[in-house]
Amino acid sequence: MFTVCYRRSNENNEMDILKEKKDIMTQQQNELKDMPNQYWHRIISFVKSGVRLIGYAFIPFNLVYATVILIISEMIGIIEELV
């Protein structure tokens, strides 16, 4: 009798643990759906940095062009955050 109750209790504990693990995995999968795409985030970040460097390089030669390029780099930064 004791072994039967112990087995049932042990089976229930195992089922609870499995259910809890499944719930955790489901929660993690749902959170990953909301995560940004790391590959595109990195690519856009490199592009933004390149455009920014070009903008800073233009400062000694033409402030208008430098300003426009730096504004474009900020727009790319906004797109980066949305990916």
Side-chain angles (χ1 to χ4, degrees):
M1 174 83 171
F2 177 72
T3 57
V4 171
C5 290
Y6 177 75
R7 283 185 185 162
R8 285 186 184 158
S9 174
N10 194 20
E11 288 174 3
N12 287 341
N13 286 340
E14 288 177 11
M15 292 298 286
D16 289 341
I17 290 171
L18 288 174
K19 184 180 181 303
E20 191 173 318
K21 285 183 180 181
K22 183 180 176 185
D23 291 343
I24 290 171
M25 288 177 60
T26 302
Q27 181 182 2
Q28 288 175 343
Q29 288 174 348
N30 288 337
E31 289 174 359
L32 284 176
K33 289 178 186 175
D34 296 332
M35 293 292 291
N37 186 328
Q38 294 178 1
Y39 174 77
W40 283 109
H41 189 84
R42 184 176 62 233
I43 295 296
I44 294 173
S45 178
F46 289 150
V47 170
K48 176 189 72 176
S49 295
V51 171
R52 195 175 277 168
L53 286 172
I54 293 168
Y56 287 129
F58 266 88
I59 288 176
F61 304 108
N62 191 329
L63 276 179
V64 175
Y65 286 152
T67 303
V68 170
I69 292 170
L70 289 172
I71 289 172
I72 290 171
S73 76
E74 289 304 315
M75 287 187 232
I76 293 172
I78 293 169
I79 293 169
E80 173 190 10
E81 296 303 322
L82 296 175
V83 170

